[in-house]
Amino acid sequence: MPTIVKSDDFQNPKGDQPKRQSVLLGMIIMICVIVGWFVLHLFKMQVIEGSGYRQQSENISKRTKTLVAQRGEIFARDGDQPIVINVDSFAVDLIPGETGSKYDTVTAKLAVYLGIKKEDIDAKIPVGKRKEYYTETIKSNVTLDQIANIAENITDLPGVSWRSKPRRSYLATESMSHILGYVDDITKEELYVLHNQGYTSTSIIGKSGIEKQYDSLLQGKSGQEMRMVDAKGKSLSSTPIVEPPVMGDSLVLTIDSDIQKLAEETLGERVGSVVVLKPSNGEILAMASYPYYDSNIFSSENKNSEYAKLVNPANNNPLLNRAVSSTYPPASTFKVIMTAALLAEKTLSADSIINCSGSLDYGGRPWHCHKAEGHGDMDLKNGLAQSCNVYFWTIGRDYLGVDKISSYAQNFGYGKPLNIDLPSSSAGFVPTAVWKERRYHEEWFKGDTMNMSIGQGYTEVSPLHVADMMAMVVNEGVIYTPHFLKEVRDSATGEVKEVTEKVPLHTLELEDSVWKELKADLRYMVTDGSATYPLNNKIVQIAGKTGTGEISTYYSNNKQWHSWFVGYGPYDAPPEEAVVVVVSVEAVNVWEWWAPYASNIMFQGIFGHQTFDEAIDALGFRYLKRPVGRQE
């Protein structure tokens, strides 16, 4: 029986045609979408985002070198002649890849011109990097003569170049070193903190003094030098694109160069310090500390060996600014505060008599005054003038007490930060009964109060604290923040950009009669007190107070003394015309009671407009035999 075949079993070519067309259309649409996406993406990359990619391409093929800005110059008070400048100096660089096969020849010749060893250059450029196109600094502080030799032979030195790298030069050194400070290369630790402030690994940064305090003003703004290079770093253009650096601001200080020189010579080679302060606004006219150092050594090739000498303990730490960072017992200069406290508190009349027989018995032992035979009957004025310890022991122990004494000392600025514009200064210390109990687990005894009353014991102050204390007296109740910065100037135009205003630091409200009587007593101390001869001056009336700080040597009970004087003049002039002078001479020096003599020389030179030699001749001090032995 024949098989019957249904029509559905046969494929219909005409029926498959729509399916083929549908598949083809889908493929065409897909291809169009893909091609369209690529076209749109290319349009976006080339037209919309093209500038960004071109910039990125340029950045990849562009080598940028930082052009370090020159630091701003520093001027003394007159603002005419700089005391810190930038001196032309050079750095020599090498691109090792440009030496080709002549690396050893080039570096050998370069070492000769620079006065260094070839091995020093090889140490900077490892073997694996000698075909690379990068810049390596071979030597800084290169002289113009060395650059001239290199320039004459530059055809034999492919890859060698040089650039200006100004070196800091301090025209005022010695006693100015502690004020100005110095600069040096930035450390990794400093860069970690300052990298977001524009500092780089090649920055020169202030390390101490004014250089550090105002580094952000002195730094300026670095420039850039850009060159196009190939993939290997080889330069493609001989003409760089230069964005010039901007020099830092210039600073004008409050320091008077003549007074600073006078202070330095008056102190001489005595370990100690001299401070001259304008009480009316806090400007520091002079600050000398001995021993000192030369700030220029930190820009020299042998700075490491020179620094080792500075930190040698045998050299009495020349890096230390003794005027603000060292602290001492204030000794009898503290009796100025005791006098103010007694006058203000009125716990004992200024006319009341306390008899000094040469000693005071307390705690089962005699407390000896510095005058063995005693001063006799003493009121407040004469007790201060003769610096009678028995008098001040008595008023401190019986009429004031530790709480009042500590409070007045702090009101005069003791034990508090100086807020001076230097990176490092000491706050000193004023003890209290509570402090002693917490620190030593001992109660405060009246013997502690007696020690404190004459500036001995736990109290510690810097010479600038003592200057501020006297400024409080001159201004009758206010201390202005001591400072060195007078004004900031634009280095290019000389235009004054900023002027330092006087800012009150501490205030103390006392009756006008207290300040007037205190000033009169300080003048009486000079005219009729223990230092009448060394402070005799015909040009200016001086008021002030001597001090002798007693210490014991570490290994024995032998006594030594710091020598102090703090004073101001003219005594009868308004604060705007007065200056405060503080001299502190440490006990490591041979005892000569130099502080009052030195202070008189300072006042003579300042108000007589005289040099050190002229001042000592006018005062008759040139051939003076210094008094020997302890005096108050």
Side-chain angles (χ1 to χ4, degrees):
M1 182 176 177
T3 302
I4 298 174
V5 180
K6 296 181 179 181
S7 60
D8 292 342
D9 294 337
F10 293 94
Q11 295 180 353
N12 185 352
K14 292 183 179 180
D16 290 343
Q17 187 67 26
K19 292 182 179 180
R20 292 192 185 98
Q21 291 177 350
S22 177
V23 172
L24 181 61
L25 180 61
M27 293 177 64
I28 292 173
I29 291 174
M30 184 180 295
I31 291 172
C32 289
V33 170
I34 293 173
V35 172
W37 183 85
F38 275 112
V39 170
L40 289 174
H41 189 63
L42 288 172
F43 177 80
K44 177 184 177 184
M45 293 176 63
Q46 294 183 354
V47 179
I48 299 176
E49 299 177 351
S51 60
Y53 285 109
R54 283 191 293 272
Q55 183 64 43
Q56 183 177 354
S57 175
E58 289 179 6
N59 290 340
I60 293 174
S61 60
K62 181 171 60 181
R63 175 179 288 135
T64 301
K65 181 169 65 175
T66 299
L67 301 178
V68 180
Q70 290 198 28
R71 292 178 72 84
E73 295 180 329
I74 302 177
F75 295 78
R77 187 178 188 83
D78 56 16
D80 293 333
Q81 297 297 323
I83 54 178
V84 182
I85 62 174
N86 303 299
V87 176
D88 286 338
S89 182
F90 301 90
V92 173
D93 299 328
L94 176 64
I95 301 176
E98 294 186 356
T99 63
S101 61
K102 299 180 179 179
Y103 170 83
D104 287 321
T105 303
V106 170
T107 53
K109 291 181 178 179
L110 184 60
V112 172
Y113 295 136
L114 294 178
I116 60 177
K117 298 178 181 178
K118 181 181 182 302
E119 291 78 7
D120 296 336
I121 301 178
D122 294 340
K124 291 175 178 277
I125 307 175
V127 175
K129 288 191 170 185
R130 292 178 185 177
K131 293 184 179 180
E132 296 183 10
Y133 290 86
Y134 75 98
T135 301
E136 179 68 43
T137 299
I138 304 302
K139 187 181 179 183
S140 299
N141 293 330
V142 179
T143 66
L144 182 60
D145 289 340
Q146 290 174 316
I147 295 298
N149 288 334
I150 293 173
E152 290 175 0
N153 298 276
I154 195 62
T155 55
D156 298 328
L157 300 170
V160 175
S161 62
W162 59 88
R163 56 189 164 84
S164 175
K165 187 180 180 182
R167 175 176 57 83
R168 204 63 161 162
S169 178
Y170 298 91
L171 306 181
T173 57
E174 297 177 325
S175 65
M176 283 293 294
S177 59
H178 296 108
I179 300 171
L180 299 173
Y182 62 93
V183 298
D184 205 347
D185 297 326
I186 194 170
T187 65
K188 291 181 180 179
E189 294 76 17
E190 290 168 333
L191 183 60
Y192 179 79
V193 176
L194 300 171
H195 71 279
N196 59 349
Q197 298 181 29
Y199 292 85
T200 68
S201 59
T202 60
S203 293
I204 302 296
I205 189 171
K207 298 290 185 176
S208 70
I210 293 297
E211 292 278 25
K212 181 176 182 179
Q213 182 74 23
Y214 295 109
D215 189 78
S216 60
L217 294 175
L218 293 165
Q219 275 287 336
K221 182 180 179 182
S222 296
Q224 291 183 330
E225 179 182 290
M226 295 168 284
R227 291 180 181 271
M228 303 303 293
V229 297
D230 61 18
K232 293 184 178 180
K234 187 175 182 180
S235 179
L236 299 177
S237 173
S238 58
T239 304
I241 301 172
V242 178
E243 178 185 331
V246 178
M247 186 176 181
D249 290 327
S250 295
L251 306 183
V252 179
L253 305 185
T254 60
I255 292 294
D256 185 302
S257 296
D258 292 335
I259 300 178
Q260 181 71 24
K261 185 66 174 176
L262 176 67
E264 178 183 307
E265 293 185 348
T266 298
L267 183 61
E269 295 183 356
R270 299 172 180 86
V271 178
S273 64
V274 176
V275 177
V276 181
L277 176 72
K278 280 184 67 68
S280 61
N281 57 17
E283 291 183 349
I284 299 174
L285 300 179
M287 180 180 286
S289 175
Y290 184 86
Y292 37 69
Y293 63 96
D294 186 347
S295 298
N296 290 302
I297 67 172
F298 293 95
S299 300
S300 65
E301 291 296 316
N302 59 339
K303 65 180 180 182
N304 291 334
S305 60
E306 291 296 327
Y307 182 77
K309 295 178 184 177
L310 295 179
V311 297
N312 186 334
N315 293 327
N316 284 317
N317 196 358
L319 293 171
L320 180 65
N321 184 347
R322 286 169 161 78
V324 296
S325 297
S326 290
T327 58
Y328 314 88
S332 291
T333 63
F334 193 78
K335 294 169 184 175
V336 178
I337 296 176
M338 294 291 293
T339 302
L342 190 66
L343 289 171
E345 295 296 319
K346 301 178 181 177
T347 52
L348 179 70
S349 169
D351 297 327
S352 297
I353 299 299
I354 295 175
N355 181 266
C356 172
S357 62
S359 66
L360 175 66
D361 290 331
Y362 180 74
R365 69 176 181 88
W367 294 58
H368 296 286
C369 192
H370 64 87
K371 188 174 182 180
E373 64 274 24
H375 291 97
D377 290 342
M378 292 280 107
D379 58 7
L380 178 59
K381 178 173 70 172
N382 284 285
L384 181 66
Q386 301 303 324
S387 201
C388 177
N389 286 342
V390 168
Y391 183 89
F392 285 93
W393 281 331
T394 303
I395 66 169
R397 182 192 63 185
D398 300 338
Y399 296 97
L400 290 174
V402 59
D403 292 337
K404 284 188 174 64
I405 297 172
S406 295
S407 177
Y408 274 90
Q410 292 176 47
N411 287 334
F412 273 88
Y414 285 6
K416 296 182 179 180
L418 292 163
N419 285 13
I420 187 175
D421 48 350
L422 286 179
S424 177
S425 62
S426 174
F429 182 70
V430 174
T432 64
V434 173
W435 164 82
K436 187 184 178 187
E437 290 174 0
R438 291 176 178 176
R439 176 68 175 82
Y440 295 107
H441 306 291
E442 295 179 356
E443 66 175 299
W444 183 275
F445 299 106
K446 287 188 176 181
D448 295 320
T449 304
M450 292 168 65
N451 270 332
M452 188 177 185
S453 299
I454 63 168
Q456 298 287 165
Y458 303 110
T459 307
E460 292 283 330
V461 297
S462 71
L464 186 54
H465 278 107
V466 178
D468 276 350
M469 177 272 293
M470 189 57 72
M472 174 80 83
V473 176
V474 176
N475 296 327
E476 298 188 357
V478 60
I479 297 171
Y480 293 103
T481 302
H483 59 275
F484 287 106
L485 182 63
K486 187 170 183 282
E487 59 189 35
V488 180
R489 294 181 180 177
D490 185 285
S491 291
T493 65
E495 178 185 356
V496 177
K497 299 172 64 175
E498 180 182 342
V499 176
T500 302
E501 303 289 342
K502 64 180 184 180
V503 178
L505 180 62
H506 302 295
T507 57
L508 176 60
E509 293 186 9
L510 300 178
E511 295 178 3
D512 291 344
S513 60
V514 172
W515 296 117
K516 288 179 172 54
E517 186 166 351
L518 178 57
K519 288 181 177 181
D521 290 351
L522 291 172
R523 174 59 182 163
Y524 183 76
M525 184 270 162
V526 172
T527 59
D528 294 85
S530 59
T532 300
Y533 172 71
L535 290 167
N536 182 36
N537 194 298
K538 297 179 180 179
I539 288 183
V540 57
Q541 292 185 346
I542 304 168
K545 182 70 186 78
T546 55
T548 302
E550 182 181 294
I551 65 170
S552 297
T553 58
Y554 188 81
Y555 294 106
S556 71
N557 292 322
N558 293 331
K559 297 295 176 63
Q560 293 180 319
W561 298 273
H562 299 307
S563 179
W564 282 100
F565 183 79
V566 54
Y568 71 95
Y571 157 70
D572 54 355
E576 292 74 19
E577 298 176 16
V579 296
V580 170
V581 174
V582 174
V583 178
S584 171
V585 181
E586 291 188 10
V588 296
N589 303 280
V590 176
W591 176 251
E592 55 179 346
W593 205 39
W594 183 240
Y597 290 97
S599 299
N600 201 2
I601 295 170
M602 291 301 303
F603 282 112
Q604 179 73 26
I606 293 169
F607 291 98
H609 305 289
Q610 297 172 344
T611 64
F612 171 75
D613 287 324
E614 291 170 341
I616 61 174
D617 283 340
L619 294 170
F621 286 175
R622 181 175 292 277
Y623 304 105
L624 176 68
K625 293 182 179 180
R626 309 284 190 258
V628 178
R630 179 171 182 263
Q631 299 187 38
E632 190 63 29

